[in-house]
Amino acid sequence: MKKIILFFAIVILVRPLDLQAAVLPVAYPRLANYFLRWEISDSEAVELAKWDLLVLDMEVQENSREQLKKIRQLNPEVIILAYITSQEIIDDIYNYRDAYLRQCLRENIADGWWLKDGQGKRISNWPETFMFNLSDGALLNDQGQRFNDYLPEFVVDNLKSTGLWDGVFYDNTWGDLAWVNNANIDIDNDGQTESQAEIDQRWAEGFKKMLAKTRQLAGPEFVIVGNGRVYDGYQGLLNGMMLESFPSSWENGGTWSGSMQTYLKLPSLNASPSLPIINIYDKNQTNYAHVRFGLTSALLGEGFFSYDYDVTNHGQTWWYDEYDINLGAAKSQPYNLLAAGNSTVQAGLWRRDFKHGLAIVNSTNKTQTYIFTQEDVQHFLGSQDSSFNNGRRINYLKLAPQDGAILLKQDSSLTNAVFTNGYFYRIFNFSGEQVRSGFFSYVSSAPGEAAVFVAADEAGNEFGNVAAYSGRATAYWNGRSIADFKPYDNLFRGRLNLAVEVNDDNYLRYLAIGAGAGGGPQVRLFSGSGRLESSFFAYDKALRGGVNVALGDLNNDGQLEIITGPGRESEPLIKIFSLSGDLQASFLAYDRKFSGGVNVTVADVNHDGLEEIITAPASGGGPHVRIFNGQGKAIGGFFAYDKNWRGGLKISSGDIDGDGLVEILAGLKNFY
Amino acid sequence: MFKFLHHHWRRRWERYYSRNQWHLAIDLSLVLVVIVLAVGVFALHFYSPNLTPPSFLKPSPGVVLDPDNPPLDIFISVVDNKVALEDGLDFKINLHNNSSFDLKDVMVAISPIGNAVNLQRLEAEGQEEIKIEGHKLIFPLVKAAADIEIEAKAYVEKKGISGKSVNLQASLEYQVAKQTVLTRVDLDPWLLPAELDITSVAYYTSPQGDILGLGPLPPVVGLPTNYWVFWQATSTGDLEDLVVSARLPQGVEITNNYSLLSGDFSYNSDSRQVIWRVSQINTQEDHYHLNFEIQLQPKAEQAGEIVDLLINSRYRAVDSVIGREITGTIQDLNTNLTGDHFSQGQGIVLAE
């Protein structure tokens, strides 16, 4: 038994530097960069770390190893593929500086591995390169290998073994060959030119053998992506294909529809995970419509999008406003708005829905108008094509031919922030700038004016909600009820104030509850399942204005604090308690004479790593939002509505759009 | 007593009289005045002269006013204390003359208590002659030992929407032996139906300046323009089963966006009706709000017109206190957006 354990221990310990299987990002868009320079600078490494998938020339491994590591350090989720041409090599590679791996490859090339014509001459399909014969017609070297044996071994021994790569990108994974050199090809090295059919057949068989051996040697988790016209026979061995120069003239009829049919079917053909890539090149970096056209086409499927200069120069770090958008997880398959119910891929106005937005592409040759009748969407606010990405909410879209649009959905309710059901909310950043149009936040599952928290993951998928109303609190998490209780005695049926703490692993940790107006200033802390953890009066027991609550770690010590604001008829004294109710600090949020009550929330709204306390008058007073640091020092503030407004504000905070930045939410019951 | 007076005399002698005789003279004068006044009061108390009053002060023969027991009794009863104001407030007045003499020009003035309502007019009828002058009912003759009953009706109008009841008082005024007798009687209050106020406003821009609407403004043929409709209910009394409804004209559709503080909101696509139901409305609570979004897509023939957004707007509810149904209509809404401070007047549809 000990020997068995020892064996497995040794196996685990001496295991080469294998990376985890590539994990596809859940959120869209998925971005790829086809960056084929042989060296990468530090600044380029920082730039490249922003992409989800990188196709980097294999020489980077030797020439810029530190930069390669830095990319992964900056973006641990990135998928990095080593670029290698599968069927050719630069002829005078020994004269190239920084071409160590190609020279290694070249070093072991047997004379019988070159692809030759009927006259015995080596064939070139690309300037300064000569082609290899990947078929079994190639001759054996002195070790009994052909090129289709050697290339996989080279990849595994020289690339995969370093642990720097998630996979390999075989360029030119052609499924036929007769179109090369006018079919003057001696595929079996017999000194004769074979028929086109035989050339294609033997080439495809040999190429497939090469791919199969790569898969065999590298294992199922090693990503193998090809490039070139898609040949179905290879796809089970590949994790995807790049559709370069989309929609390329060589792919499935040379039309958008043809390329899209190929792109959309790849996941069903490829090994998992499938990583199809749409690449568009355009010498005009600012052809934003072209970028949108390609990106929105890619968004119709599961793949990645790449945009760069041209086939002779894939080496840009061009970044577009659309790349910053987090659309979240896909919520639908693509559908043609011009042919409802018809899933046949044809030129049309195609749309796909995502958690936070949608992508629409017009692949017809005329302008199309689409009216949004049952949904609220908006352009995002971009800085590049600002006339298009103008941040405006829209209810119709006019889209030029060969253009696309990424639109954001306006959710009808806030996520990851406590809100009062049915109230109107404006969204602000730390500086008091409105970062999104105001809207009514409402969920039909809870009564009006309930305190509601809807939990959503990074991809925008909602997995829980908490509601507190009429003296009762409920929590549903991951599809089941985990709490349903009365925070106070059975007689209290008034409104409740709520604060929620959710762990990083999406576990509902605490509910802090304060009574609304009419109740005493008693704070009660519950576990996510509704078990009472602590209870204390934050203010004079005799008061009946209730108490407003927030949860946060103000001093960054890993321990939460409960922050309270008084209800009406009390001075605006903010108090900071431990979870057990020990008073730690207090300060006045407004003038001592103000007695309208104070709503509170806690969040790191200035993104300094420390949480701040944000306050707003609960009634009376102007709509003056104030921001304090953990010591009660005012560090910011703004008027969330007209200065003369006296109706009080609800205040909350949360990263409601999934951009990683916390926003301040200021809610109104009505406008009058 | 003697010792007290003696002691007092001695002190005043030592301190004042021995030094100046004038003090003694003044004190004696004052004591004398007090004695004279006391004697006068005592004498008047027992003085009972048998004087004959002058003729202008003589009462009518046999008519004597007993202030503690006035000759005319008045009883007022409210017929139905749960009424709608427009129907008038019914009450009965009973006058009973307890005396042996006739009373003329007996006046009953009706007035509201407080300033919740204005009294507009009175109506009255009965077997006896009765006159109405403004807010006064005048009985020309109430014979000795007579009983008079009349049925009266007061029409009032409310000031504002405060108060759940109407309180009136009657002032009975007549003369006996040339003396005016005035008696006031508070009538039992009338319970008023709750006054329900339904506000319906369409907005493109909120009163706080938020752009709620979408699409072109003014609307353009063929393109959608979205508006938000706000409904709000306030009531002076408790109500049950409030239903507010309106119909969407052709070319107007409801979106999925709405926000509700109370009740249930639904849309009947067959009847094209939006319906808001609230089971309970409590007095003057600011909790009854519904906001919903609609989308207009004007047709070519609507170019140059102001287009309806919401028609046949109406409401009904049951007054849980008086058990009566309240119904009413609400102002229909159109693209002119009356009530939208920022966007009103941009309602004429533009051609494509």
Side-chain angles (χ1 to χ4, degrees):
Chain A
M1 185 63 184
K2 284 182 180 174
K3 286 182 179 176
I4 295 172
I5 294 172
L6 184 63
F7 170 77
F8 282 110
I10 291 171
V11 166
I12 292 168
L13 288 173
V14 302
R15 200 166 160 247
L17 282 168
D18 260 355
L19 293 166
Q20 295 289 320
V23 177
L24 296 180
V26 175
Y28 289 82
R30 294 170 171 174
L31 304 173
N33 194 325
Y34 194 31
F35 193 90
L36 300 187
R37 295 189 197 169
W38 292 4
E39 281 183 284
I40 295 175
S41 68
D42 284 340
S43 61
E44 285 170 338
V46 173
E47 289 287 306
L48 289 168
K50 296 190 291 188
W51 272 264
D52 301 304
L53 185 153
L54 295 173
V55 179
L56 304 179
D57 193 276
M58 64 178 178
E59 301 293 356
V60 168
Q61 171 184 305
E62 303 301 323
N63 302 331
S64 306
R65 182 171 291 230
E66 291 309 310
Q67 287 74 14
L68 194 54
K69 290 178 178 174
K70 185 172 185 177
I71 291 171
R72 198 176 292 284
Q73 180 190 348
L74 292 171
N75 180 4
E77 307 298 323
V78 69
I79 299 169
I80 307 178
L81 306 182
Y83 172 91
I84 184 170
T85 47
S86 61
Q87 44 41 282
E88 67 189 8
I89 193 166
I90 296 169
D91 185 40
D92 58 344
I93 193 66
Y94 293 118
N95 293 328
Y96 279 74
R97 198 168 56 85
D98 303 330
Y100 171 76
L101 286 169
R102 281 175 173 77
Q103 291 166 2
C104 287
L105 180 72
R106 175 69 180 82
E107 204 170 306
N108 295 306
I109 299 298
D111 187 55
W113 291 356
W114 296 107
L115 184 69
K116 296 176 182 171
D117 61 16
Q119 294 72 46
K121 291 182 181 173
R122 290 190 298 169
I123 295 174
S124 174
N125 185 58
W126 193 257
E128 300 175 10
T129 66
F130 283 104
M131 294 186 65
F132 299 120
N133 186 347
L134 275 109
S135 77
D136 276 351
L139 301 178
L140 297 171
N141 66 2
D142 52 8
Q143 294 172 359
Q145 288 181 310
R146 296 187 175 88
F147 183 70
N148 59 22
D149 295 310
Y150 171 67
L151 183 60
E153 290 178 6
F154 177 85
V155 166
V156 171
D157 293 344
N158 294 280
L159 303 177
K160 181 176 183 290
S161 63
T162 64
L164 295 170
W165 307 97
D166 296 289
V168 65
F169 182 92
Y170 282 131
D171 197 6
N172 301 328
T173 46
W174 303 330
D176 53 14
L177 188 69
W179 56 274
V180 172
N181 204 35
N182 293 320
N184 180 8
I185 297 169
D186 176 13
I187 195 73
D188 59 2
N189 272 305
D190 66 351
Q192 303 289 321
T193 300
E194 281 70 42
S195 69
Q196 291 189 20
E198 186 178 355
I199 292 169
D200 288 341
Q201 181 188 346
R202 298 195 67 159
W203 172 266
E205 288 171 354
F207 208 108
K208 189 172 181 179
K209 187 176 170 187
M210 184 277 288
L211 292 173
K213 186 164 185 181
T214 306
R215 176 61 69 204
Q216 178 200 343
L217 295 176
E221 294 183 349
F222 193 67
V223 173
I224 308 172
V225 172
N227 186 24
R229 185 148 65 91
V230 172
Y231 178 63
D232 286 357
Y234 302 160
Q235 296 310 311
L237 298 165
L238 294 169
N239 295 96
M241 290 289 294
M242 174 179 277
L243 304 184
E244 192 174 347
S245 184
F246 175 91
S248 59
S249 57
W250 56 82
E251 185 61 50
N252 199 11
T255 63
W256 181 89
S257 306
S259 283
M260 284 305 297
Q261 286 168 9
T262 300
Y263 172 66
L264 294 174
K265 78 177 180 183
L266 280 173
S268 66
L269 302 176
N270 289 149
S272 180
S274 177
L275 296 86
I277 303 167
I278 282 180
N279 167 262
I280 282 185
Y281 47 73
D282 189 326
K283 292 184 173 65
N284 182 1
Q285 181 183 355
T286 59
N287 188 349
Y288 300 119
H290 203 186
V291 175
R292 290 193 296 265
F293 181 62
L295 177 57
T296 50
S297 296
L299 282 166
L300 298 183
E302 312 301 316
F304 295 75
F305 174 67
S306 135
Y307 185 89
D308 51 32
Y309 183 79
D310 84 347
V311 70
T312 66
N313 182 0
H314 293 290
Q316 291 70 44
T317 53
W318 296 344
W319 189 261
Y320 296 94
D321 288 336
E322 281 80 358
Y323 292 4
D324 286 319
I325 301 303
N326 175 14
L327 284 171
K331 292 290 183 188
S332 79
Q333 291 301 310
Y335 51 100
N336 187 353
L337 298 169
L338 302 181
N342 185 351
S343 60
T344 305
V345 179
Q346 56 188 328
L349 189 64
W350 284 84
R351 166 178 174 170
R352 192 178 189 203
D353 297 314
F354 299 85
K355 166 62 185 170
H356 297 305
L358 54 102
I360 294 185
V361 57
N362 178 9
S363 58
T364 71
N365 55 10
K366 66 174 190 176
T367 297
Q368 301 288 347
T369 300
Y370 179 68
I371 293 172
F372 299 94
T373 55
Q374 298 289 328
E375 52 199 327
D376 207 355
V377 298
Q378 67 177 66
H379 287 288
F380 65 88
L381 185 59
S383 60
Q384 292 169 330
D385 193 359
S386 54
S387 63
F388 189 88
N389 295 320
N390 52 24
R392 288 189 188 143
R393 295 166 62 225
I394 58 170
N395 55 359
Y396 72 95
L397 177 70
K398 270 190 177 177
L399 204 52
Q402 311 297 301
D403 198 351
I406 288 180
L407 302 173
L408 300 179
K409 283 180 187 170
Q410 282 225 316
D411 291 334
S412 59
S413 67
L414 296 163
T415 55
N416 298 325
V418 175
F419 64 92
T420 304
N421 203 23
Y423 278 30
F424 183 84
Y425 278 88
R426 284 180 177 174
I427 317 297
F428 298 90
N429 62 17
F430 172 76
S431 305
E433 296 161 338
Q434 230 181 311
V435 296
R436 176 179 168 175
S437 304
F439 70 108
F440 291 98
S441 184
Y442 181 72
V443 292
S444 57
S445 58
E449 299 200 66
V452 176
F453 178 87
V454 178
D457 61 22
E458 285 183 5
N461 299 308
E462 293 173 7
F463 58 86
N465 68 69
V466 180
Y469 55 95
S470 303
R472 180 182 167 211
T474 61
Y476 291 85
W477 222 251
N478 296 320
R480 65 186 184 90
S481 172
I482 61 168
D484 187 348
F485 61 98
K486 293 181 176 174
Y488 299 96
D489 64 39
N490 285 339
L491 297 176
F492 184 76
R493 311 191 81 175
R495 293 190 186 130
L496 298 171
N497 296 310
L498 173 70
V500 173
E501 173 67 15
V502 179
N503 275 0
D504 289 340
D505 56 359
N506 292 337
Y507 173 75
L508 179 59
R509 192 175 170 198
Y510 290 121
L511 308 176
I513 291 179
Q522 187 181 24
V523 176
R524 309 203 90 192
L525 183 72
F526 298 87
S527 69
S529 60
R531 187 182 64 245
L532 183 64
E533 300 281 338
S534 68
S535 175
F536 60 92
F537 281 89
Y539 301 95
D540 184 346
K541 282 183 183 179
L543 292 170
R544 283 296 172 268
V547 58
N548 302 301
V549 291
L551 282 166
D553 179 8
L554 293 171
N555 49 11
N556 226 0
D557 65 350
Q559 300 294 317
L560 287 175
E561 287 88 38
I562 297 174
I563 298 86
T564 65
R568 295 180 70 162
E569 308 306 327
S570 182
E571 63 181 8
L573 189 64
I574 304 300
K575 292 186 177 181
I576 302 167
F577 296 90
S578 69
L579 290 184
S580 57
D582 298 326
L583 180 62
Q584 297 180 341
S586 65
F587 63 91
L588 286 169
Y590 299 95
D591 186 278
R592 187 180 293 277
K593 293 173 187 167
F594 175 69
S595 61
V598 183
N599 283 321
V600 288
T601 187
V602 172
D604 178 14
V605 290
N606 61 355
H607 319 301
D608 64 349
L610 296 171
E611 297 200 315
E612 290 82 39
I613 299 169
I614 305 106
T615 66
S619 65
H624 190 192
V625 175
R626 301 196 77 192
I627 305 169
F628 300 88
N629 66 15
Q631 290 74 49
K633 182 185 175 189
I635 58 171
F638 55 89
F639 283 89
Y641 292 86
D642 185 285
K643 285 183 180 178
N644 297 317
W645 171 253
R646 292 292 182 272
L649 291 185
K650 288 286 185 181
I651 198 77
S652 185
S653 55
D655 177 14
I656 61 161
D657 52 10
D659 65 355
L661 304 177
V662 174
E663 290 87 26
I664 299 170
L665 323 171
L668 285 186
K669 183 173 187 174
N670 63 43
F671 293 109
Y672 311 108
Chain B
M1 180 70 177
F2 177 77
K3 283 181 74 175
F4 172 76
L5 290 173
H6 180 71
H7 173 70
H8 209 67
W9 170 260
R10 279 184 63 85
R11 277 187 64 194
R12 291 193 72 80
W13 178 264
E14 289 167 1
R15 293 178 66 179
Y16 302 111
Y17 304 157
S18 60
R19 297 177 187 175
N20 191 331
Q21 296 293 315
W22 278 107
H23 287 294
L24 177 61
I26 290 169
D27 275 4
L28 287 174
S29 302
L30 288 174
V31 169
L32 194 61
V33 167
V34 169
I35 291 170
V36 168
L37 286 173
V39 170
V41 169
F42 188 75
L44 282 172
H45 179 72
F46 293 100
Y47 178 63
S48 179
N50 190 14
L51 298 174
T52 302
S55 61
F56 64 89
L57 286 178
K58 282 184 180 176
S60 302
V63 177
V64 176
L65 173 62
D66 178 358
D68 295 329
N69 191 20
L72 190 60
D73 290 336
I74 183 168
F75 303 97
I76 302 181
S77 58
V78 169
V79 175
D80 181 359
N81 74 335
K82 298 171 183 174
V83 294
L85 280 187
E86 59 272 21
D87 296 337
L89 310 176
D90 291 306
F91 55 96
K92 289 181 179 175
I93 298 177
N94 283 87
L95 295 175
H96 178 64
N97 187 347
N98 298 311
S99 70
S100 56
F101 48 84
D102 296 345
L103 295 170
K104 293 178 181 174
D105 294 328
V106 174
M107 183 175 68
V108 179
I110 305 296
S111 61
I113 299 173
N115 56 3
V117 294
N118 284 326
L119 178 60
Q120 294 179 300
R121 62 190 170 88
L122 292 173
E123 291 177 357
E125 59 181 30
Q127 293 186 340
E128 309 297 327
E129 185 189 358
I130 184 170
K131 292 190 290 187
I132 300 175
E133 292 180 0
H135 299 165
K136 295 173 183 171
L137 304 170
I138 297 171
F139 300 82
L141 179 63
V142 180
K143 292 181 177 174
D147 271 319
I148 292 179
E149 179 177 286
I150 64 150
E151 293 181 353
K153 188 186 286 273
Y155 289 92
V156 299
E157 66 173 358
K158 292 189 75 174
K159 299 176 181 175
I161 57 162
S162 59
K164 295 180 179 179
S165 62
V166 172
N167 295 72
L168 300 181
Q169 70 177 2
S171 300
L172 175 66
E173 187 177 333
Y174 57 95
Q175 289 203 330
V176 176
K178 298 197 175 177
Q179 295 183 70
T180 300
V181 180
L182 186 63
T183 306
R184 285 201 176 87
V185 179
D186 287 349
L187 280 64
D188 289 341
W190 281 270
L191 298 176
L192 292 177
E195 197 158 313
L196 177 61
D197 182 41
I198 305 289
T199 306
S200 175
V201 189
Y203 288 103
Y204 193 92
T205 309
S206 84
Q208 287 270 344
D210 298 274
I211 304 297
L212 304 174
L214 292 173
L217 194 74
V220 175
V221 169
L223 295 178
T225 299
N226 289 25
Y227 304 90
W228 275 82
V229 175
F230 290 9
W231 281 356
Q232 184 175 355
T234 51
S235 172
T236 58
D238 294 346
L239 297 175
E240 293 175 352
D241 300 329
L242 169 69
V243 179
V244 184
S245 66
R247 196 161 64 80
L248 301 181
Q250 292 298 328
V252 178
E253 300 295 335
I254 193 155
T255 75
N256 283 330
N257 294 325
Y258 70 98
S259 165
L260 188 63
L261 294 193
S262 296
D264 298 306
F265 177 60
S266 62
Y267 175 64
N268 184 326
S269 56
D270 295 331
S271 64
R272 300 184 57 76
Q273 268 194 318
V274 286
I275 302 166
W276 180 34
R277 297 174 195 275
V278 184
S279 59
Q280 180 74 41
I281 299 269
N282 295 325
T283 307
Q284 294 185 357
E285 270 194 16
D286 180 23
H287 184 58
Y288 310 105
H289 297 243
L290 164 68
N291 312 313
F292 60 95
E293 188 186 42
I294 55 175
Q295 184 176 81
L296 165 72
Q297 198 173 333
K299 294 183 170 55
E301 58 268 27
Q302 292 175 312
E305 295 180 358
I306 292 170
V307 176
D308 283 334
L309 296 174
L310 214 54
I311 56 177
N312 296 348
S313 308
R314 59 191 64 203
Y315 64 86
R316 65 181 163 81
V318 175
D319 187 322
S320 48
V321 175
I322 67 170
R324 285 175 58 160
E325 187 174 79
I326 300 171
T327 60
T329 57
I330 317 166
Q331 185 182 7
D332 290 339
L333 303 176
N334 62 37
T335 51
N336 222 22
L337 304 183
T338 308
D340 183 333
H341 173 69
F342 294 98
S343 302
Q344 62 184 329
Q346 300 183 64
I348 298 176
V349 173
L350 303 178
E352 208 167 353

